[in-house]
Amino acid sequence: MQNQQTRQLTQGAMMAAVFTVLLAISVYVPLLQIVSSLFLALPIAWYSAKYGGKASALFSAVCLILTFIVGGLLSLPLALIHIPLGLVIGLSIFNRKSKLFMFMGASIVLLISIIVQYVASIALLGINILEEAMTEMKNSFEQTSALMESIGTLPEDYNENVIQFLLAMETLMPTWLVLGVFIGTWVLFLLLLPVLKRLGTEVPAFPPFRELKLPKSVLWYYLIVIVVSAFSEFQPGTMPYMVLMNATVMLQFLLFLQGISFYHFYIKQEGWPKWVTVIVTILAIPLQSFTSIVGIVDLGFDIRGWVKRAHEFKGK
């Protein structure tokens, strides 16, 4: 028992030192800060995966204190993103949860961390990052318009197209945020989980993408959104319009993924080589509308079952 506690303290001190070094690089070394910040959650994830909840909570508190000592208040936002992320990854491994559970949990925690810090920056500092980004984008388009007008190459509908583009960007900001968080979490998993595996931690694996099957309720939500869109005339810029547009884009994206998943399933059933999967996946991007329809049909009519039965019949 004494040896176990000593080893836990020793490994905790070692991981705290690793976290402190990565944090210091992320704050003070410009050329390496992008790489080091990507691995900032690694020490927390490793320790949490090994020792569970109570020890991880204490370890996280120590890391927060070290963050304040090493980097001051300006480094706290970075730590408040990566420490909860590392906790979710490590505790999911400790409790033997699936990789899908880990991914969803990490994405939700990352999203909450970003939203909380965004609200705090407005309430405490009076800084609205999104508004400033939109203002900078608008100024950039205005400068481009002035330059094109000065050399006589300004299209007639340029300003109208810019206004529509900026409105779409502002309206779909929640969707871009959610998609960005999920993509960011996936990238972090690609970096962190192989390292954890090399360090002796048992890391769960995702099920094959071809087995992705969304709940059928997604289809009903999409039908509701289509009906509401057809029989309503919400004004652009209003909250109902924003909710409807974001729901539409998110559901279309999910059905697009369902369609690609069916492509992968069908290629596997046919026994075609892997390069066919790569090409079909790339071609699915410009054929997004058709792929979404395939996803709708797959979700609504279970065409995978038909494909399986057809192959079983051929096998007989």
Side-chain angles (χ1 to χ4, degrees):
M1 184 67 180
Q2 188 68 29
N3 291 335
Q4 174 68 20
Q5 291 179 348
T6 302
R7 184 169 55 185
Q8 182 175 332
L9 289 172
T10 302
Q11 292 179 339
M14 181 179 64
M15 287 296 110
V18 172
F19 176 84
T20 304
V21 171
L22 290 173
L23 180 70
I25 295 173
S26 302
V27 174
Y28 298 114
V29 185
L31 295 178
L32 298 177
Q33 61 186 186
I34 296 177
V35 176
S36 61
S37 62
L38 292 175
F39 292 93
L40 201 54
L42 183 64
I44 292 92
W46 184 88
Y47 191 84
S48 302
K50 194 171 183 65
Y51 294 110
K54 292 182 179 180
S56 300
L58 179 60
F59 178 71
S60 299
V62 171
C63 288
L64 273 177
I65 296 172
L66 291 172
T67 298
F68 181 74
I69 294 173
V70 173
L73 288 174
L74 294 179
S75 63
L76 283 178
L78 189 63
L80 291 175
I81 286 177
H82 290 278
I83 289 177
L85 183 66
L87 279 173
V88 172
I89 294 174
L91 293 177
S92 297
I93 295 173
F94 181 81
N95 293 301
R96 300 190 180 278
K97 300 293 184 179
S98 67
K99 193 171 183 179
L100 182 60
F101 177 92
M102 183 197 304
F103 177 77
M104 294 302 298
S107 299
I108 292 172
V109 166
L110 184 58
L111 182 62
I112 292 173
S113 299
I114 292 173
I115 292 174
V116 169
Q117 294 194 39
Y118 171 69
V119 173
S121 69
I122 296 175
L124 300 178
L125 304 176
I127 299 174
N128 191 324
I129 298 175
L130 296 182
E131 282 188 1
E132 291 184 1
M134 292 299 298
T135 301
E136 288 295 325
M137 193 179 300
K138 184 178 179 180
N139 292 336
S140 176
F141 279 120
E142 289 177 352
Q143 292 174 4
T144 303
S145 174
L147 177 61
M148 295 174 68
E149 188 175 7
S150 66
I151 59 178
T153 59
L154 181 67
E156 293 183 1
D157 56 349
Y158 177 83
N159 291 328
E160 182 180 349
N161 290 336
V162 167
I163 291 173
Q164 292 178 354
F165 173 77
L166 292 175
L167 178 61
M169 286 292 296
E170 187 175 2
T171 300
L172 296 176
M173 196 66 73
T175 297
W176 305 138
L177 176 61
V178 172
L179 291 179
V181 165
F182 277 91
I183 294 172
T185 304
W186 180 67
V187 171
L188 287 172
F189 272 34
L190 290 179
L191 296 172
L192 297 178
L193 297 188
V195 179
L196 286 173
K197 191 173 182 180
R198 290 292 298 270
L199 294 174
T201 304
E202 293 185 10
V203 177
F206 277 128
F209 183 68
R210 63 179 178 272
E211 296 180 8
L212 172 67
K213 192 77 171 180
L214 296 172
K216 284 196 174 183
S217 57
V218 171
L219 207 54
W220 288 106
Y221 296 148
Y222 188 60
L223 179 62
I224 292 171
V225 167
I226 291 176
V227 172
V228 173
S229 300
F231 293 98
S232 62
E233 296 182 357
F234 297 129
Q235 293 297 321
T238 61
M239 182 59 69
Y241 178 82
M242 181 178 293
V243 172
L244 186 64
M245 290 299 296
N246 281 277
T248 301
V249 172
M250 286 298 298
L251 290 169
Q252 286 178 345
F253 179 73
L254 291 174
L255 292 170
F256 173 70
L257 291 180
Q258 182 70 47
I260 296 180
S261 173
F262 175 76
Y263 294 157
H264 287 210
F265 169 81
Y266 185 80
I267 292 170
K268 180 66 175 180
Q269 288 290 316
E270 293 291 339
W272 294 342
K274 290 184 178 181
W275 62 265
V276 177
T277 305
V278 176
I279 293 178
V280 169
T281 302
I282 294 173
L283 291 176
I285 297 175
L287 298 174
Q288 183 266 333
S289 298
F290 177 78
T291 303
S292 297
I293 293 173
V294 172
I296 292 172
V297 175
D298 179 37
L299 201 57
F301 298 98
D302 190 27
I303 53 179
R304 299 186 190 210
W306 299 358
V307 172
K308 283 183 179 179
R309 288 191 290 271
H311 279 80
E312 290 174 357
F313 180 78
K314 288 180 182 179
K316 293 178 181 179

